[in-house]
Amino acid sequence: MKHWIIPFLIILVGGLAGCTRITTVNSTSDSKGVMAKHQTLNLATGTPLTTLDTDKMAQFGRLNNTIEGLYQTNRDGQAQLALAQRVKVNAAKTTYTFTLWKDSYWSNGDLITAQNFVYAWRRALDPRTKAPDADLFRGIRHAKQILAGQLPASQLGVQAQGRFKLIVHLDHPMAELPQRLAYPLFGPQNQRIAKKFGKKYATKPEYQVYAGPFMVSSHGDTQHHWHMVPNTHYWDRKHVYLTRINVNVYRSQTQAWRDYRAGKLDEVRLLTKKSVKAYEYKNSYTARPYSRMILISYRRDGPNAVHNQLLAQRQARLAISHAINRQTLGQDTYGNASLPAQGIVPAGLSRGVRGTADFAASQPNQKTLKYQPQVAQREWRHALSQAGLTKVTLTLSYHEALNSQSLAKKLQHQLTKTLPGLTIKLKARDWKFDDDRSAPLAGDLNLATQRAQYADPLSMLSLYTSTSTANTGHWRNFDYDDLVAQASNAPAFNARRWKTLLKADGILMQHQGVTPLFQPASTYLVNPHLNGVQFNTVGTQSNFKEAYFVK
């Protein structure tokens, strides 16, 4: 019996409430009476399709729609069982046993088995693969040692028991594990297909198979255009309504705008403050908040020892933070929908035990992010004096893109206007490294964007521990490390874990290990006839599984 005709009784794993609850989930209405005849969605992207290998993607973008794992994110942002029919957790909460559905298939008709997950996870940790987000496996047994090169990937604590039972062993309880497993990196991979194609595997659409509602068609030049069609073997195929998703690569935003106005695109990004202002009251306008934070990372081990000594001082980093008017900075570069940082954790990522308090609003030491120019000048003069300086020239690194360049210039202006004796030189960095969390810092100050990959404060806070490869500024605080470890080892979402996470965030902000600026919102014009799209605020953004056009 197909599992889509079993009544919609699905186990949902709660957010920070921490309890497992049984909830009836009603499927989206087919709305066939109002559906348009043509169900082709046309989208734009700025980057070509370079790989279909989930282990090698730093961001999944539209390809999220070709991937499905043990869990998927539902419309409430919570982890909901997908390819797993049920899960059993031992009393110590260190072993998860997943029972897979027996009627889930790859796009080529192969059965999806537990071994597909074992292969995918171990492959992601293999040094030859170099998965950008391999740190997300930390906490699964032996992952830490594998990442350190002390054990082979084959020792990862995951095993298949028969074809449909997957057993995951943990080093310690991980309350946030279901949220992590909803991230596409934890999806399965077809070992038979990978071995069949060898080095060609996932380099082109014809060398990959798919577990999600859509598959990438083998027709077309993926450098300029690629498209997805429904996966005919997908278990819930009857709720997939789009017949084709075209993704066109645009080098010019002007051309994308022209095509949207000509009806050749169903969505276009608004990148300038002027365009946002012109359309923000139209029914086609939408601002999508996403769980990411634009911030400054500090280089403490650069080629200039004096600069290193200056930025190693807490007073210098606090001065930089206090010199920034975040409200103006965000609105002038990303529009009115951007939110000034209240800490490192973005707004809307997670809520408290009773679902009322947003973690972001509760973050302590928010005064360290307040615009206080006089305080900033006092702190900066003290830091310069301690470094034996009266003036200094620092480099500010940024990703060479429209918004980033504008942001860098405005930040340069704010800092040099407020901080005496400071000169800033801008340094554009190669776009190829923008999504590499572990790439070395290119400037003394570095503009970066960090994204939460699962719905828990730990997804941001864990990035700045001493052992995290994402902590490229090498900020270290052992009290912070200990608090993050306590939260990571917690067996459940409860008030104690919540307070531990808040305390860790407070230390990071007190020392300005990194300096959060603001949470940007992506703004778009969207075809108003498009319905049923699930826009996520965490993990991956757009789920088109149940999307459709109305007449």
Side-chain angles (χ1 to χ4, degrees):
M1 178 178 287
K2 293 291 182 183
H3 53 275
W4 51 261
I5 60 175
I6 292 176
F8 291 92
L9 192 63
I10 300 175
I11 298 177
L12 298 183
V13 180
L16 286 180
C19 60
T20 299
R21 62 185 186 276
I22 306 297
T23 304
T24 300
V25 180
N26 295 317
S27 64
T28 303
S29 170
D30 289 2
S31 300
K32 291 182 178 178
V34 297
M35 280 189 181
K37 182 178 180 181
H38 298 287
Q39 294 291 330
T40 299
L41 176 64
N42 294 294
L43 301 172
T45 183
T47 56
L49 183 63
T50 56
T51 183
L52 292 163
D53 187 342
T54 54
D55 285 341
K56 295 184 179 180
M57 296 178 193
Q59 293 188 55
F60 294 89
R62 312 299 192 188
L63 291 172
N64 171 53
N65 292 273
T66 68
I67 306 164
E68 195 160 287
L70 299 169
Y71 293 90
Q72 62 185 356
T73 303
N74 65 15
R75 293 182 182 273
D76 295 324
Q78 299 301 317
Q80 172 180 303
L81 288 173
L83 292 181
Q85 181 182 15
R86 58 182 178 271
V87 58
K88 182 179 179 182
V89 186
N90 70 345
K93 298 188 178 181
T94 55
T95 300
Y96 284 64
T97 302
F98 294 94
T99 301
L100 307 186
W101 293 99
K102 298 180 180 179
D103 58 352
S104 295
Y105 297 90
W106 293 98
S107 56
N108 67 342
D110 286 356
L111 195 65
I112 297 175
T113 66
Q115 183 58 37
N116 293 152
F117 286 93
V118 174
Y119 170 73
W121 294 10
R122 290 178 176 173
R123 182 176 180 271
L125 285 172
D126 192 306
R128 293 169 295 184
T129 306
K130 297 181 180 178
D133 293 322
D135 270 359
L136 285 174
F137 286 90
R138 289 181 184 271
I140 297 178
R141 185 175 297 172
H142 295 152
K144 182 178 179 180
Q145 293 91 328
I146 295 168
L147 287 166
Q150 298 167 356
L151 286 175
S154 60
Q155 295 300 304
L156 184 68
V158 57
Q159 66 185 90
Q161 189 177 92
R163 290 199 295 175
F164 302 109
K165 192 159 287 187
L166 180 73
I167 304 174
V168 180
H169 300 283
L170 307 180
D171 288 329
H172 50 75
M174 293 171 62
E176 79 285 356
L177 182 66
Q179 280 81 355
R180 285 201 197 192
L181 296 185
Y183 193 62
L185 178 63
F186 291 95
Q189 293 208 45
N190 191 316
Q191 186 174 5
R192 185 181 73 82
I193 296 299
K195 288 187 174 181
K196 176 182 176 180
F197 293 119
K199 291 183 178 180
K200 291 183 178 180
Y201 174 66
T203 57
K204 292 183 179 180
E206 56 264 38
Y207 304 139
Q208 179 62 295
V209 291
Y210 310 91
F214 292 92
M215 54 186 281
V216 181
S217 171
S218 59
H219 302 288
D221 173 14
T222 57
Q223 291 295 309
H224 301 94
H225 166 89
W226 50 281
H227 61 271
M228 294 178 284
V229 295
N231 175 1
T232 56
H233 292 282
Y234 181 61
W235 65 270
D236 198 19
R237 173 67 183 87
K238 71 180 232 177
H239 289 116
V240 178
Y241 309 120
L242 295 175
T243 57
R244 179 172 170 135
I245 301 176
N246 292 316
V247 184
N248 296 302
V249 180
Y250 285 86
R251 301 297 184 186
S252 165
Q253 179 66 16
T254 301
Q255 186 58 50
W257 175 250
R258 287 172 182 163
D259 283 357
Y260 176 81
R261 297 194 68 176
K264 297 178 182 179
L265 281 177
D266 294 302
E267 176 183 275
V268 67
R269 183 93 177 265
L270 298 176
L271 293 176
T272 66
K273 183 179 180 180
K274 182 178 179 181
S275 60
V276 170
K277 188 175 181 179
Y279 290 94
E280 61 184 338
Y281 297 110
K282 303 289 185 181
N283 64 351
S284 56
Y285 172 85
T286 180
R288 298 174 192 160
Y290 192 63
S291 294
R292 56 179 175 158
M293 187 64 67
I294 294 179
L295 51 84
I296 300 173
S297 291
Y298 300 96
R299 185 169 65 181
R300 297 172 178 83
D301 55 359
N304 190 309
V306 176
H307 294 182
N308 297 341
Q309 182 184 354
L310 175 65
L311 295 177
Q313 295 182 64
R314 172 175 169 264
Q315 287 288 309
R317 302 192 300 272
L318 280 169
I320 289 171
S321 181
H322 285 140
I324 299 168
N325 186 328
R326 288 166 171 78
Q327 186 80 35
T328 300
L329 189 66
Q331 290 184 356
D332 286 351
T333 52
Y334 281 80
N336 294 334
S338 64
L339 300 173
Q342 297 170 293
I344 194 61
V345 176
L349 178 65
S350 55
R351 295 191 174 274
V353 175
R354 294 177 183 167
T356 53
D358 187 340
F359 186 93
S362 304
Q363 290 174 106
N365 288 330
Q366 294 188 27
K367 62 184 179 181
T368 62
L369 304 180
K370 187 178 179 181
Y371 178 50
Q372 300 182 79
Q374 292 182 344
V375 172
Q377 289 169 3
R378 185 170 64 249
E379 292 167 334
W380 186 249
R381 288 191 180 97
H382 176 79
L384 284 177
S385 176
Q386 290 294 106
L389 300 169
T390 56
K391 60 182 179 179
V392 67
T393 299
L394 301 177
T395 54
L396 172 62
S397 166
Y398 68 95
H399 173 214
E400 196 169 17
L402 181 62
N403 279 350
S404 296
Q405 186 177 43
S406 173
L407 173 60
K409 289 181 177 179
K410 292 184 183 299
L411 182 60
Q412 176 191 41
H413 176 73
Q414 285 197 10
L415 292 177
T416 55
K417 179 182 177 182
T418 302
L419 301 179
L422 175 62
T423 300
I424 290 180
K425 291 185 177 180
L426 300 183
K427 182 179 180 181
R429 66 175 179 265
D430 193 334
W431 66 271
K432 293 179 182 178
F433 298 106
D434 191 56
D435 293 324
D436 186 352
R437 290 187 174 199
S438 59
L441 298 179
D444 300 308
L445 312 178
N446 300 267
L447 280 172
T449 301
Q450 289 289 12
R451 297 168 175 84
Q453 292 157 314
Y454 54 94
D456 188 78
L458 199 62
S459 64
M460 295 295 286
L461 293 167
S462 64
L463 299 176
Y464 302 104
T465 61
S466 302
T467 57
S468 171
T469 57
N471 183 12
T472 50
H474 305 299
W475 175 74
R476 290 178 175 85
N477 183 286
F478 295 117
D479 290 336
Y480 180 84
D481 288 351
D482 182 59
L483 289 166
V484 171
Q486 288 179 39
S488 181
N489 296 349
F493 293 113
N494 51 35
R496 182 177 178 180
R497 182 179 186 271
W498 175 267
K499 290 177 181 178
T500 300
L501 290 166
L502 285 172
K503 192 173 180 180
D505 184 275
I507 290 176
L508 182 62
M509 292 302 95
Q510 179 187 359
H511 292 270
Q512 287 297 292
V514 291
T515 294
L517 300 178
F518 58 88
Q519 178 182 354
S522 300
T523 52
Y524 296 86
L525 293 184
V526 180
N527 185 335
H529 295 282
L530 179 63
N531 284 0
V533 183
Q534 178 180 317
F535 295 114
N536 301 317
T537 60
V538 67
T540 54
Q541 279 186 285
S542 303
N543 185 334
F544 296 110
K545 173 184 170 180
E546 296 183 354
Y548 59 91
F549 288 96
V550 296
K551 297 175 183 177

